[in-house]
Amino acid sequence: MKAKVFLSLCFAACATMASAQLESKSAYSIYETEDGWQGLRVSYKPIVMDAGEAGDLDMNGFSLDYVKAFRVGGNVPLFVEIGAGFQWGQYLDIEEEEVEGIEFYAEDRLTVASINIPVNLAYQCFLSNQVSLTPYVGLNVKGHVLGKNTVYVKGEYLGESLEEEETIDLFSKEDMEKDPCKRFVIGWHVGATLTYNRFNLGVNYGTDLTEFNTDTKFKTTTVTLGVNF
C-alpha cells in the first residue's frame, strides 16, 4: 500500500512540472537522456503468490535486467522503455518439532524463475540538470523457465533416522494431475525512477493479468538500483 501511495505522489509531482519543462530546453542536460537511455538494473522483489481461497504465499525474489529507452514525444520528454531480464523467486517454510518422541525437520520450498520482457511508457520530469524523476506504466510478458516445489523431511526415532525428499514440476501434467501451471503470463505494472547523473533508484508495483494456475496470480513490489551507460 505504501508503494502505491508513493507512486501516486510521483505522478502528481510530474504533472505539476510538465508545463515548465516544455518551456525550458536546458532541462535536458541530464546525463545522455535527451534521446533516451540504456542501462542495467538489479532489483529486490517481495512477491505475493495469490492462490485465492487457498491463501497467499510470501516469496523473496531478485532480478537482473537490461533496459533501453527511445524518445517518442518530440519536444515532450516522453519515452518508450523496453527491457529483458531474469527473475528468480522462492518461498521457504521450515518446521522443527518433536511429536511423541519423534524429532523431525520439514522443509517446503517453492522456486519459480522466469525471463521478463517489460514495455513501459515513461515521462521524464527534470528536477535539476543532474536529477530527474520518471514515472511510468507498462506491460510485461513472463516466460517461466523453472517451477518446482520440493518437500524435504528428516526425522529421528530411537537412534534410527528417516530422510525423504519429493519434488514436483509445476509445469508437468503428470505431477500436477493434469492441471499444470502456465509457462507464459502477461502482467501490468506502474512505477517511478529517480535518477542522479547516471545512477538511479526505482520502485514499482504490478500484478498478473493472466493466471499462473487456476485462481493463482503473482503480485510484485520491486525496489531497483541501476546505472545508465
Side-chain angles (χ1 to χ4, degrees):
M1 183 62 68
K2 291 182 179 179
K4 296 179 182 179
V5 173
F6 172 75
L7 293 173
S8 298
L9 292 174
C10 289
F11 277 95
C14 279
T16 62
M17 292 185 289
S19 60
Q21 288 191 86
L22 291 176
E23 297 174 359
S24 178
K25 181 69 174 179
S26 64
Y28 299 144
S29 60
I30 193 170
Y31 179 76
E32 295 183 357
T33 60
E34 183 173 353
D35 297 319
W37 59 85
Q38 62 178 335
L40 292 176
R41 308 287 187 260
V42 178
S43 303
Y44 168 63
K45 298 188 171 188
I47 302 169
V48 176
M49 184 177 180
D50 183 356
E53 294 182 359
D56 296 344
L57 292 182
D58 293 327
M59 306 173 67
N60 287 311
F62 300 89
S63 70
L64 176 64
D65 301 87
Y66 167 79
V67 300
K68 186 172 180 62
F70 305 88
R71 191 181 185 118
V72 296
N75 290 329
V76 178
L78 189 65
F79 300 84
V80 169
E81 182 184 65
I82 60 175
F86 177 79
Q87 175 179 304
W88 175 91
Q90 187 175 88
Y91 163 82
L92 178 61
D93 181 37
I94 296 176
E95 292 186 13
E96 295 183 82
E97 293 186 20
E98 181 177 342
V99 180
E100 297 182 354
I102 302 175
E103 296 180 356
F104 74 90
Y105 169 92
E107 182 177 293
D108 184 3
R109 186 187 303 267
L110 175 67
T111 304
V112 179
S114 60
I115 302 296
N116 291 344
I117 302 177
V119 180
N120 302 323
L121 183 63
Y123 187 92
Q124 192 170 43
C125 307
F126 297 93
L127 308 181
S128 73
N129 288 345
Q130 290 185 306
V131 180
S132 71
L133 180 64
T134 307
Y136 59 87
V137 62
L139 298 174
N140 64 283
V141 177
K142 290 188 291 186
H144 297 296
V145 297
L146 174 68
K148 65 179 183 179
N149 185 199
T150 300
V151 177
Y152 170 78
V153 178
K154 181 179 180 180
E156 186 172 329
Y157 180 66
L158 297 178
E160 295 186 8
S161 61
L162 171 67
E163 189 172 2
E164 187 174 344
E165 181 176 293
E166 181 181 4
T167 298
I168 296 174
D169 183 350
L170 301 183
F171 305 110
S172 167
K173 289 184 179 181
E174 181 178 351
D175 288 356
M176 296 294 290
E177 300 180 351
K178 299 182 179 181
D179 187 23
C181 295
K182 307 298 189 299
R183 287 281 186 180
F184 295 95
V185 175
I186 298 174
W188 74 276
H189 52 261
V190 59
T193 300
L194 182 67
T195 301
Y196 171 73
N197 196 2
R198 68 180 65 189
F199 303 101
N200 47 66
L201 171 66
V203 60
N204 77 44
Y205 174 81
T207 65
D208 290 345
L209 295 173
T210 57
E211 293 183 340
F212 180 62
N213 203 336
T214 304
D215 295 327
T216 301
K217 295 182 178 181
F218 290 107
K219 302 176 182 179
T220 306
T221 301
T222 303
V223 180
T224 300
L225 293 175
V227 59
N228 293 341
F229 50 81

